[in-house]
Amino acid sequence: MNKKAFIFDLDGVIVDTAKYHFLAWQKIAQSLNINFTHEDNELLKGVSRVRSLDIILGLGNVEASQEDKDKWLIQKNEDYLSYLVDMDESEILPGVFKTLQLLKDKKQGIALGSASKNARPILEKTGIISYFDVIVDGNDVTNAKPDPEVFLKAAQLLHIDPKDSIVFEDSVAGIQAANIGGMVSVGIGEETILHEADYIFKDFTSIEESFIQSLITK
């Protein structure tokens, strides 16, 4: 049987932690008198914490010292982590567990490729960390998506060629990273936003076993 690398983003793909990121960033923005909306939050998908803060400051035309930025970044992460304390398997998005189990049964390579620096504790809290052969997160890479570093490193650790790798992503930057890396990109979300992806599904409940099988044998 062919062995491929199936690489998953975390936020918005496996778990819906995006809502907690939004609340934490909104708290920072409000303290700076910046109006930060759900629409603005779309700009932060797949983006590093440092870059996210710069985007928010830009929305409010706020100039800040590096010292202030560092303080806000720590505060944001502490607020975000406080929301994660009570996370459990109920946070896993519909259809994800079934897909992971299917890939495990078919002895495929499974990796996480996420900008999050909290990926491991989240996977542990939701009880699915054992499904992942490889975890590459924000602690392991220096370049943010759309740079493909996080996905290329995941494929490398799985000892699988990038062209035999499939990436599940919910962000434009993530889809672009997969495409730049020469991988198959599968968008999870809205077609109007993720139109650059090779395939697009609203969520994992829309993905049939036959589709996964076709990716394996392709």
Side-chain angles (χ1 to χ4, degrees):
M1 178 180 286
N2 293 344
K3 185 168 183 178
K4 301 289 182 76
F6 286 83
I7 307 171
F8 294 76
D9 178 40
L10 180 65
D11 295 339
V13 173
I14 292 176
V15 290
D16 186 18
T17 49
K19 59 191 175 188
Y20 301 135
H21 283 294
F22 172 71
L23 291 171
W25 280 126
Q26 190 178 53
K27 187 174 177 181
I28 295 290
Q30 286 174 343
S31 72
L32 299 170
N33 295 315
I34 298 172
N35 182 36
F36 182 64
T37 66
H38 283 284
E39 288 71 28
D40 295 328
N41 194 51
E42 288 294 316
L43 300 172
L44 310 188
K45 277 192 173 181
V47 176
S48 70
R49 196 184 309 165
V50 172
R51 178 65 186 135
S52 294
L53 178 59
D54 286 338
I55 290 171
I56 291 171
L57 294 177
L59 291 172
N61 293 314
V62 173
E63 296 285 337
S65 67
Q66 190 58 51
E67 184 180 357
D68 280 337
K69 287 183 180 182
D70 291 342
K71 177 184 68 177
W72 295 329
L73 288 169
I74 291 169
Q75 182 184 329
K76 184 269 172 182
N77 196 48
E78 288 176 348
D79 288 337
Y80 171 68
L81 290 174
S82 72
Y83 294 121
L84 303 185
V85 170
D86 298 322
M87 279 191 82
D88 57 26
E89 64 276 3
S90 68
E91 297 275 2
I92 300 171
L93 290 169
V96 170
F97 182 81
K98 180 182 175 184
T99 302
L100 289 173
Q101 188 62 57
L102 175 62
L103 292 172
K104 201 75 168 175
D105 291 344
K106 292 185 177 294
K107 296 180 170 52
Q108 296 301 299
I110 305 174
L112 188 87
S114 170
S116 172
K117 292 191 174 183
N118 302 297
R120 286 172 176 82
I122 289 172
L123 293 177
E124 286 171 356
K125 282 178 174 292
T126 53
I128 56 173
I129 195 165
S130 62
Y131 281 90
F132 293 87
D133 304 303
V134 163
I135 297 172
V136 182
D137 64 14
N139 298 297
D140 306 311
V141 295
T142 54
N143 299 307
K145 304 166 189 175
D147 189 288
E149 180 187 10
V150 67
F151 297 145
L152 291 174
K153 187 164 187 177
Q156 179 185 22
L157 291 171
L158 285 170
H159 306 292
I160 293 175
D161 197 293
K163 68 179 175 55
D164 292 322
S165 302
I166 298 96
V167 172
F168 295 97
E169 259 286 356
D170 73 321
S171 72
V172 173
I175 293 298
Q176 290 172 342
N179 292 342
I180 292 168
M183 302 176 172
V184 175
S185 55
V186 181
I188 304 297
E190 299 299 325
E191 188 171 351
T192 52
I193 297 172
L194 304 176
H195 56 86
E196 294 178 57
D198 295 317
Y199 305 95
I200 303 170
F201 297 91
K202 186 167 181 59
D203 55 35
F204 278 92
T205 63
S206 307
I207 299 179
E208 301 285 346
E209 181 175 344
S210 58
F211 173 71
I212 297 294
Q213 186 60 45
S214 71
L215 293 175
I216 294 171
T217 56
K218 194 171 183 179

